[in-house]
């Protein structure tokens, strides 16, 4: 460290009493008047309390803004623009993305950047142009990005859509429309989507990229780019004009006429012209920069405009929080209730954002340069400098996968350094590069500035989030030296997901060699291996002076690393073996780099040992090409009919323009209260006392509701079964972390949340159970069991040639719908209530609101416009929120709104059921199964919720599509102290089919036979029966699907390509897998298999349709509208669906079980049939020339009813457990086949999916495109389930750890199959189907096909293990989902892994439920 003290900082204006003031040491955080008054020492700075900026082209002047809110809060609650969504509050999903434009005075250019409005403060847009999704287009005149999202079918639930659009819009504006596929991919790396499977979004947005096959606009084609048009020689640029010149020579700016632009479905598209975009306000170019100060007693904001002002404010408020990108600060405020009273926004100080490169010396950057700018600067220097720029290439590489683009646009290296996260991506590189950080601090008494410099590699980080910096200082610049001759530096990062994920281990390893290859200096920096970024002292000492060509070099280094990082099994963060393995693997990769690239002076003497030590692919990364999606575009149904046509989602444009309304978009009502749950902090405990006194003193708090407000004990319970019910409020005892104790109500959500934190609860802890294994061991079972039998398993096992026993484990999965749980309850006269709920089950919402308030059901109306995703998580869980809000609305006689935060939602609403499945399977030498016995233990959580139905479907699907003559399958619910697990897409079927395919794979591994051989021999045949005795008939198409899929995918060729690749590659291995699925469609409970509809025809001929289903994003309303139009014979635009309401269609079933289109579609048809019958005489009387309007007007005048109800119930089904001759459990099966090829880096566990080919039997789809992207959405959700989505609980307190996108990872754009093909079964008429238009349900069935990736990964692991001397491959290894990067790496058998293994002594930090 070096220290310099210099000069005096002279204020811009003098104050005669300044010396007197300073003598009193004005260096305190508050004045006598509190934080709301600027300290006298700063009186020379002309602070303003007014923010001025433009919003969608309109000047906004905001005086003394609310200092507690974020930019998103302002957009939604003050500007009343609700298109921008709140999903996670931590900048991890992209739903809140907006575009911010800023004029750069020095360069006279306009910068457009995407930012996360949920974390940046409002003050960050002062002097800028804020653009939201509403500002770029509308449904009447959509922007091309909005239009393509809708017409490429990229918007389903729509909650993520505005954020994705604004990320793309920012990219187009920043590049003036000239973008590449790589830039599109990078622009979206901070955005997620849970519905579509991402591929239609990418296809639509890639149509703007000049190197995409969907590119359709010449104007943005860069002349210096290598471009190949998908039309080949017929490319428009190659056509001669009237002068004989090609278009590219005569007029490179010529546009293709917009009438010639089409989507893959033939829908016309607008061309994109940057000149038509929202103009940057000229006034902003001249608007003077002015320092700002405003706030209230809770929080104040400063915005200095110069470094001098920043130092002065920091000197007077030494405990203040400097805020730049706000990514860490906002998480602390929202998630950890951090109370930063004085905040300094420092991200607009130009002096701290510049950079300078000195040739032969290095790069100096301002502390607050954005991470995006640093990424680009380092990328350019890396290319320009070659070997001397190696360190900058490392920074560029690390930043490319650092969070998302929105975070990198706002975040800064100074913030990273000061935060000192032990798992930081950037800090290890700065340490490894021996960077120098410079800080400045002003002494307010002497006006002297102390400048200090720190070598980050010199033990700079001293502990968990601690460092050597004075907390009152400001980081002003960072120096990064360029790479020297014979210096090698590599950076690494491994995480669960490639994009936008925190590191498990990150590293920057730098080694300096002499001319002979001996180590003369090194810095080996790691993150994720200690409470702080640290260097490897033992290893650095060991390799000093050693030759990299010595065979003992690697072994000695690994032994030294073993001493540097002796992680215990119980290490915080877990994964001890994996983290150590990564540490060793990263060093191995650096060593391999040096062996390959170092050129010694004595070349001949050292080349031979170098070549013998080199592994060809040790430094390769897995292949990640740009994903491309293809699908069937033909609809093989009747010409001229709407049946099957790819009609875009009817809400697509509304969602893309921000006009679609969700629950929290409903404007506030008069006297509205906001409700926040007070929840348990213990997994199991008695409640000794609850004290509300402090909470009730918070300004704006109106009161609370708890168990004492419920009319009876019975009214406090809900659930579908007579046992295992769940209380709305805890009744003296809590059973999981997050259980509701009470609900606090206040005038706004900030004060309600503050009050909830002030409620004091005393507990007496009781024993708890978290995992299903512990529950089974302790026999913690609910009094329920679901079992079926067929044949004689005992005799069959005795006669079997082989019998194998084992177990299969599947973990939980979070729904991660983008719209959090929420509701609004509005009380009216006579006990009436309107309940607006984000629910898949409006009838249940209605019933339980009546139940808890003690009013008849007919007084409650439940209304649902649309959901921002559900996936089963909004089937039963929402009633726990809407019901308590109904009780509060009744008590306080006010409307009550409750919108959960992402953390609250994940903590309380339950997940997919974890399963432990034990099996015994028999097979003969002909590879045919003989018998199976299996017990499936489902972790129900602490109440039954919908667990019985989940277990029913799990046991039904536990044999998938295979015939086994002798069967005993039983499912048992396990009671644990976790939130009650609930419905999730697949509803138990994925767990059951994972058991089936694991048994197939186990047998194939034991008998050394291809698993597809076993599959082919054991598929059902027509005439056989399932284990639950349902006959197999002509509906069974799995063998046909498999044959078509393998032929179209060229499966045999893929197998050979995988083998050839693996024969030439040591550390990168490929795997291939084929998986079938057979999903039964019907509700397991008979009475739920009914649907209702109500259709009104008005005098102008317009048609209003109501039905019992809920639009969750799956296109249900679009399909119901198509059915109505077809059945009534009217144009589609004549038909309209407003909402789902219990006032229109009563007693509805949940929108679930993939049956919504079947049930409601047939009900709609039934209503249409009634109307057609009534209208038939009118049509006959008027003749064929009559218009629809004439017919309706005449019918009205003839007093013919133009309103009809429709009803449908599924026939032929009615399975009852224990019935020796049961009815069918399912009306039909939706079936499919998937083939996936993966690539694995066996040194790290990193992987990618090279291709997936999916083929489904959908019957005759109602809407071909919507169904296709239901397939991709379900498939990618399945990929997440079996690879990266891992729910973890903290062992020490039973709390769910993975409560947001920072810790819980769903697949992102870079996780897509790079070739993603979807098709449907062909050459069938499906005459046996007695469903609406002979279609099949599609929402859930494709999900399990994602496990083709899981089993392909296992195939790659088996290949790697065989190459490492384990001939049996994966045989003997557990079948466990998810197969995370950790599990992939630790299933290997190489020496590096063996050296890193940690004995399983004690308990791991995390536990899986």
């Amino acid at each position: 460290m070096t220290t310099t003290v210099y000069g005096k900082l002279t204020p811009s204006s003098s104050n005669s009493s300044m010396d007197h003031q300073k003598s009193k040491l004005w260096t305190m955080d508050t004045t006598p008047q509190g934080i709301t008054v600027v300290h006298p020492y700063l009186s020379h700075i002309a602070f303003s309390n007014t923010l001025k900026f433009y919003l969608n082209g309109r000047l906004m002047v905001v005086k003394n803004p609310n200092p507690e809110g974020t930019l998103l809060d302002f957009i939604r609650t003050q500007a009343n623009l609700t298109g921008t969504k709140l999903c996670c509050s931590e900048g991890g999903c992209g739903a809140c993305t907006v575009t911010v434009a800023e004029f750069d005075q020095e360069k006279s250019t306009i910068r457009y950047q995407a930012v996360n409005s949920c974390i940046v403060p409002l003050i960050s847009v002062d002097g800028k142009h804020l653009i939201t999704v509403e500002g770029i287009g509308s449904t009447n005149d959509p922007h091309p990005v909005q239009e393509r999202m809708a017409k490429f079918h990229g918007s389903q639930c729509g909650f993520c859509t505005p954020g994705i659009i604004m990320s793309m819009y920012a990219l187009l504006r920043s590049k003036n429309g000239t973008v590449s596929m790589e830039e599109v991919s990078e622009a979206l790396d901070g955005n997620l989507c849970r519905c579509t499977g991402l591929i239609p979004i990418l296809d639509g947005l890639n149509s703007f990229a000049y190197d995409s096959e969907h590119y359709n606009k010449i104007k943005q084609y860069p002349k210096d780019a290598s471009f190949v048009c998908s039309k080949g020689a017929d490319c428009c640029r190659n056509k001669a004009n009237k002068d004989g010149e090609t278009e590219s020579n005569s007029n490179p700016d010529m546009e293709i006429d917009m009438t010639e632009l089409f989507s893959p479905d033939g829908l016309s598209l607008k061309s994109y012209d940057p000149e038509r975009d929202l103009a940057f306000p000229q006034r902003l170019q001249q608007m003077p920069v002015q320092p700002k100060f405003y706030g209230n007693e809770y929080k104040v904001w400063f915005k200095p405009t110069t470094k001098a002002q920043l130092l002065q404010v920091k000197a007077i408020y030494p405990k203040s929080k400097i805020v730049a990108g706000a990514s860490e600060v906002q998480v602390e405020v929202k998630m950890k209730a951090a109370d930063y009273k004085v905040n300094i926004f420092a991200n607009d100080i130009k002096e701290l954002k510049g950079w300078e490169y000195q040739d032969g010396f290095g790069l100096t950057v301002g502390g607050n340069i954005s991470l995006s700018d640093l990424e680009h600067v380092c990328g350019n220097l890396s290319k320009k400098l070659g070997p001397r720029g190696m360190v900058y290439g490392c920074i560029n590489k690390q930043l490319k996968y650092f969070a998302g683009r929105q975070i990198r646009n706002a975040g800064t290296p100074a913030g990273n350094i000061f935060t000192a996260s032990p798992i930081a991506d950037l800090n290890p590189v700065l340490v490894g590069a021996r960077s120098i950080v410079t800080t400045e601090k002003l002494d307010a008494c002497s006006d002297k500035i102390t400048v200090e410099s720190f070598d980050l590699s010199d033990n700079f980080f001293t502990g968990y989030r601690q460092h050597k910096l004075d907390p009152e200082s400001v980081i002003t610049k960072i120096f990064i030296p360029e790479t020297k001759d014979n210096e090698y530096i590599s950076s690494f990062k491994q995480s669960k997901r490639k994009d936008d994920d925190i590191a498990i281990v990150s590293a920057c390893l730098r080694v300096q060699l002499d001319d002979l290859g001996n180590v003369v200096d090194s810095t080996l920096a790691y993150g994720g291996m200690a409470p702080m970024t640290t260097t490897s002292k033992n290893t650095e000492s060991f390799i000093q002076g050693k030759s990299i060509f010595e065979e003992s070099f690697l072994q000695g280094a690994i032994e030294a690393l073993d001493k540097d990082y002796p992680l215990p099994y119980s290490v915080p963060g877990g994964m001890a073996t994996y983290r150590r393995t990564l540490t060793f693997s990263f060093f191995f990769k650096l060593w391999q780099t040096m062996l390959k690239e170092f050129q010694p002076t004595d070349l001949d003497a050292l080349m031979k040992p170098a070549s013998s030590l080199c592994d060809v692919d040790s430094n390769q990364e897995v292949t990640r090409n740009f994903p491309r999606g293809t699908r069937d575009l033909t609809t093989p149904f009747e010409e001229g009919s709407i049946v099957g046509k790819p009609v875009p989602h009817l809400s697509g444009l509304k969602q893309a323009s921000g006009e679609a309304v969700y629950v929290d978009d409903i404007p506030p009502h008069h006297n509205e209260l906001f409700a926040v749950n007070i929840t348990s902090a213990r997994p199991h405990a008695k409640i000794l006392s609850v004290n509300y006194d402090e909470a009730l003193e918070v300004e704006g708090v109106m009161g609370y509701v708890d168990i004492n407000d419920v009319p009876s004990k019975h009214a406090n319970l809900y659930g579908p079964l007579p046992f295992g019910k769940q209380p709305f409020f805890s009744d003296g005892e809590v059973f999981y972390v997050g259980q509701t104790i009470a609900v606090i109500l206040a005038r706004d959500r900030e004060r309600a949340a503050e009050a909830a934190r002030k409620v004091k609860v005393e507990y007496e802890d009781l024993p708890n159970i978290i995992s299903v294994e512990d529950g089974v061991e302790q026999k913690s079972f609910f009094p329920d069991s679901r079992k079926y039998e067929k044949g004689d398993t005992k005799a069959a096992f005795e006669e079997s040639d082989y019998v194998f026993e084992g177990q299969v484990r599947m973990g939980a999965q979070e729904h991660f719908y983008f719209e959090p749980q929420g509701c609004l309850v509005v009380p009216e006269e006579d006990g009436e209530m309107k309940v607006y709920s984000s629910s898949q089950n409006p009838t249940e919402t209605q019933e339980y609101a009546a139940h808890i308030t003690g009013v008849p059901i007919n007084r409650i109306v439940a209304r649902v416009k649309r959901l921002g995703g559900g996936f089963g998580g909004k089937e039963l869980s929402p009633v726990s929120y809407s019901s308590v809000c109904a009780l509060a609305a009744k008590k306080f006689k006010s409307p009550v709104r409750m919108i959960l935060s992402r953390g609250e939602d994940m903590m309380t609403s339950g997940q997919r059921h974890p399963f432990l499945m034990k099996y015994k399977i028999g097979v003969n030498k002909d590879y045919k199964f003989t018998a199976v016995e299996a017990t499936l233990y489902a972790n129900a959580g602490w109440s039954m919720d919908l667990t019985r139905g989940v277990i029913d479907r799990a046991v039904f699907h536990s044999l998938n599509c295979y015939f086994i003559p002798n069967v005993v399958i039983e499912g048992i619910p396990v009671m644990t102290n976790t939130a009650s697990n609930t419905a999730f897409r697949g509803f138990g079927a994925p767990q059951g089919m994972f058991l089936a395919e694991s048994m197939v794979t186990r047998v194939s591994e034991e008998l050394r036979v291809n698993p597809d051989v076993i599959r082919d021999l054991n598929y059902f045949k027509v005439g056989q029966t399932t284990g639950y005795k349902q006959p197999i008939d002509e509906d069974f198409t799995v063998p046909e699907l498999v044959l078509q899929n393998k032929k179209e995918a060229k499966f045999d060729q893929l197998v050979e390509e995988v083998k050839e690749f693996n024969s030439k590659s040591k550390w990168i291995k490929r795997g291939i897998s084929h998986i079938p699925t057979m999903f039964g469609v019907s509700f397991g409970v008979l009475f739920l298999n009914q649907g209702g509809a109500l259709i009104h025809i008005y005098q102008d001929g317009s048609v209003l349709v109501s039905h019992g289903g809920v639009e969750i994003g799956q296109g249900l309303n679009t399909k119901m509208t198509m059915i109505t139009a077809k059945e009534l014979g009217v144009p589609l635009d004549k038909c309209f669906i407003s909402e789902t309401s219990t006032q229109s269609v009563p007693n509805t079933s949940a929108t679930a079980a993939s049956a919504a289109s079947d049930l409601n579609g047939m009900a709609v048809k039934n209503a249409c049939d009634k109307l057609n019958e009534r209208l038939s005489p009118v049509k006959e009387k008027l003749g064929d020339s009559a218009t629809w309007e004439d017919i309706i007007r005449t019918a009205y005048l003839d007093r013919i009813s133009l309103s009809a109800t429709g009803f449908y119930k599924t026939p032929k089904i009615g399975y009852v457990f224990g019935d020796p001759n049961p009815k069918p459990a399912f009306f039909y099966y939706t079936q499919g086949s998937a083939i996936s090829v993966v690539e694995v880096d066996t040194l790290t566990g990193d992987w990618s999916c090279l291709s997936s080919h999916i083929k489904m039997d959908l019957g005759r789809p109602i809407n071909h495109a919507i169904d296709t992207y239901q397939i991709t959405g379900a498939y990618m959700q399945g990929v997440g389930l079996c690879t990266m989505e891992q729910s973890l609980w903290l062992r020490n307190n039973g709390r769910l750890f993975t409560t947001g996108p920072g810790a819980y990872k769903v697949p992102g754009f870079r996780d897509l199959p790079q070739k993603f093909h979807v098709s449907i079964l062909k050459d069938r008429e499906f005459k046996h189907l007695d469903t609406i238009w002979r279609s099949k349900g599609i929402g859930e069935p494709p999900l399990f096909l994602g496990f083709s990736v899981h089993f392909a990964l296992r195939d790659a692991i088996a290949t790697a293990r065989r190459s490492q001397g384990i001939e049996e491959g994966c045989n003997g290894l557990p079948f466990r989902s998810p197969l995370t990067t950790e599990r992939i790496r630790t299933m290997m058998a190489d020496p590096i892994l063996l050296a890193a293994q940690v004995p399983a002594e004690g308990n791991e930090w995390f536990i899986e439920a």
Side-chain angles (χ1 to χ4, degrees), residues 1064-1078:
K1064 299 176 181 178
S1065 179
K1066 179 177 179 180
W1067 295 107
I1068 306 292
K1069 295 295 183 183
R1070 289 183 179 176
I1072 185 169
S1073 175
H1074 158 253
I1075 292 293
T1077 190
M1078 176 180 166

Side-chain angles (χ1 to χ4, degrees), residues 495-696:
S495 50
K496 290 183 179 180
R497 185 178 67 202
K498 189 65 177 177
D499 272 340
D500 193 6
D501 194 1
I502 57 176
I504 296 169
V505 175
S506 56
C508 181
L509 312 180
R510 182 194 61 83
V511 174
Q512 175 79 46
L513 304 178
D514 64 16
D515 291 341
L516 294 176
N518 300 310
V519 176
V520 296
D521 187 36
S522 66
T523 308
L524 309 177
Y526 286 93
M529 294 303 295
M532 65 283 189
T533 300
T534 186
T535 54
S536 315
K537 300 302 183 186
N538 288 306
T539 312
E540 292 167 1
S541 175
F542 169 79
I543 65 174
Q544 186 73 21
K546 298 288 193 304
S547 170
I548 63 171
F549 300 108
E550 295 177 10
E551 291 189 16
S552 61
F553 181 83
L554 177 64
Q555 183 61 37
I558 286 179
E559 291 174 0
L561 285 167
D562 179 67
K563 295 176 183 177
D564 281 318
Y565 304 109
L567 302 185
Y569 187 68
S570 58
V571 63
M575 300 183 284
T577 293
Y578 183 43
R579 287 155 67 184
R580 279 165 47 87
T581 304
L582 289 173
T583 305
F584 300 176
S585 293
F586 291 163
F587 183 85
F588 172 72
K589 284 176 174 279
L590 172 70
W591 178 56
Q592 288 288 305
T593 297
M594 294 189 292
L595 290 176
K596 291 172 188 174
E597 297 182 6
F598 178 67
Q599 296 294 322
T601 53
D602 190 354
L603 190 61
D604 293 336
L606 296 175
M607 281 303 292
K608 186 175 180 180
S611 61
S612 67
L613 295 172
C614 279
D615 288 333
V616 175
D617 62 340
S618 55
N619 272 318
Q620 289 184 10
E621 296 189 359
V622 294
T623 305
R624 293 190 190 275
N625 294 319
F626 303 118
R628 286 177 168 83
T630 56
R631 61 181 171 91
D632 289 342
L633 292 174
T634 57
T635 307
F637 307 127
E638 58 257 38
E639 288 293 326
S641 170
I642 200 171
V643 177
K645 292 296 185 290
V647 176
H649 197 298
L650 293 182
S651 289
L653 271 179
K654 283 184 280 189
Q655 291 162 183
S657 62
E659 297 171 26
V661 176
Y662 302 81
V663 169
D664 201 28
D665 299 336
I666 299 172
H669 286 63
H670 179 64
N671 276 339
E672 183 178 294
L673 302 178
F674 194 88
V676 171
N677 282 323
I678 300 161
T679 59
S680 167
R682 300 287 198 278
H684 189 199
K686 289 182 180 179
I687 295 179
L688 301 180
S689 67
V690 182
N691 189 319
Y692 300 97
D693 292 348
E694 285 188 45
L696 296 175

Side-chain angles (χ1 to χ4, degrees), residues 737-753:
V737 174
Q739 184 177 350
T740 299
I741 296 172
V743 173
I744 204 87
L745 296 112
R747 290 296 178 192
D748 62 63
R749 69 180 71 197
E750 286 79 15
R751 299 290 76 81

Side-chain angles (χ1 to χ4, degrees), residues 770-832:
I770 302 298
S771 73
V772 64
E773 286 86 355
D774 288 346
V776 171
E777 182 181 349
Q778 299 182 40
K779 294 184 171 52
S780 177
F781 302 137
F782 284 100
D784 201 25
S785 170
R786 312 295 273 178
K787 185 176 183 179
Y788 64 79
E789 303 181 43
K790 186 179 79 167
D792 186 344
T793 56
K794 182 178 180 181
F797 283 132
E798 290 176 353
E799 297 173 4
S800 298
D801 294 324
Y802 309 101
V803 176
F804 305 112
E805 295 186 58
Q807 69 178 36
V808 177
R809 179 68 152 89
M810 182 182 286
Q813 185 182 24
E814 165 58 34
H815 302 85
F816 214 93
Y817 33 70
F818 263 51
E819 178 199 25
Q821 300 267 7
C823 62
L824 170 64
V825 180
V826 182
E828 297 178 352
E829 62 184 44
D830 292 331
E832 291 181 71

Side-chain angles (χ1 to χ4, degrees), residues 103-253:
F103 185 70
D104 189 323
Q105 296 283 353
E106 294 180 5
K107 299 179 181 178
S108 295
T109 58
I110 302 168
R111 289 170 58 98
Y112 289 87
Q113 292 188 312
V115 299
N116 292 120
S117 63
C118 76
I119 57 174
V120 299
L122 175 63
I123 199 169
S124 67
V125 297
D126 183 44
K128 301 169 188 174
H129 188 193
L130 169 62
I131 306 172
T132 70
V133 70
E134 295 93 340
I136 69 172
S138 65
T139 51
N140 294 327
D141 184 20
H143 189 278
V145 177
Q146 296 170 320
E147 181 189 55
R148 294 190 199 185
M149 276 287 286
K151 291 188 176 181
F152 276 76
H153 313 284
S155 182
Q156 288 186 10
C157 87
F159 212 77
C160 70
T161 302
I164 292 172
I165 284 172
M166 295 315 294
S167 288
M168 185 65 194
Y169 177 81
L171 174 67
L172 288 173
R173 294 303 303 266
S174 67
K175 299 292 183 179
N176 198 32
T178 304
V179 299
S180 66
M181 291 175 64
E182 181 177 4
E183 289 168 329
V184 172
S185 178
E186 290 183 359
L188 298 178
D189 64 10
N191 292 87
L192 298 171
C193 172
R194 195 59 158 159
C195 294
T196 63
L198 304 164
I199 198 66
I201 298 171
L202 205 55
D203 285 346
L205 300 185
N206 274 339
S207 67
F208 293 96
Y210 58 77
D211 52 350
S212 165
E213 60 190 21
H214 292 302
Y215 182 67
N216 52 28
K217 187 162 166 45
I218 295 175
K219 185 173 182 180
Q220 274 72 51
Y221 168 64
K223 302 178 183 64
D224 60 344
S226 174
F227 178 83
V228 179
C229 178
S230 60
K231 295 183 178 180
D234 294 328
C235 174
C236 306
R237 299 190 320 279
N238 297 327
K239 295 179 181 178
N241 61 17
K242 62 183 179 180
D243 297 320
E245 297 176 310
T246 62
E247 296 292 354
S248 58
N249 292 329
S250 62
N251 188 358
D253 285 339

Side-chain angles (χ1 to χ4, degrees), residues 61 149 236 290 387 551 581 604 618 757 761 792 823 946 967 1002 1012 1082 1173 1202 1234:
V61 180
M149 276 287 286
C236 306
Q290 190 176 14
E551 291 189 16
T581 304
D604 293 336
S618 55
R757 291 192 295 270
V761 182
D792 186 344
C823 62
L946 299 174
V967 178
R1002 167 74 185 284
D1012 274 354
S1082 289
E1173 185 177 354
L1202 296 175

